[in-house]
Amino acid sequence: MPLSEQEQRLLDEMERHLLHNDADVVSAPSGDRALSYRNLVYGALLLLAGVGGLIVGVILGDVWGVVVGVIGFAAMLGGVMLAVTPVRRSTSSTPTERAPKRARGSASFMDRMNDRWDRRQDGR
């Protein structure tokens, strides 16, 4: 059963709103830590080397194959850990330029969420 014109328009509006908000969440800074592209690349290369080690370990098949396979697995694990570990982001702003933070208990949860929403909407 097809949607009516009003329902389709409402659905399209909801999708646009959701995509806009998701983009805000993805691009929102998460404190002073971020993923490093260099670490992502090195981690991916280490992961591929580990997969290669596992393949070689399976091909060898004897005791050396197990050793190479374990080393390959460790390399894969290290590559994933390197890729997803956040690094400290350098900020150019001094502490006096940042907005002063309120004490955590001074505002209710809903007040903080409303303030956050207002700041996000003003930043369009």
Side-chain angles (χ1 to χ4, degrees), residues 69-98:
V70 168
I71 291 171
F73 179 77
M76 287 173 44
L77 186 62
V80 169
M81 293 301 294
L82 178 64
V84 300
T85 302
V87 294
R88 222 168 238 284
R89 196 182 330 179
S90 64
T91 57
S92 61
S93 63
T94 61
T96 57
E97 293 175 359
R98 294 185 190 142

Side-chain angles (χ1 to χ4, degrees), residues 7-69:
E7 291 171 333
Q8 185 64 41
R9 192 173 48 244
L10 182 62
L11 181 63
D12 290 339
E13 181 182 335
M14 287 170 40
E15 286 178 357
R16 280 193 307 271
H17 183 70
L18 182 63
L19 288 174
H20 176 72
N21 285 344
D22 282 349
D24 286 346
V25 170
V26 169
S27 66
S30 58
D32 62 345
R33 296 193 169 269
L35 292 179
S36 166
Y37 290 112
R38 181 184 49 140
N39 285 356
L40 285 171
V41 170
Y42 289 153
L45 290 175
L46 194 56
L47 178 80
L48 290 175
V51 169
L54 276 177
I55 292 172
V56 168
V58 169
I59 291 172
L60 290 176
D62 58 354
V63 175
W64 287 108
V66 172
V67 171
V68 171

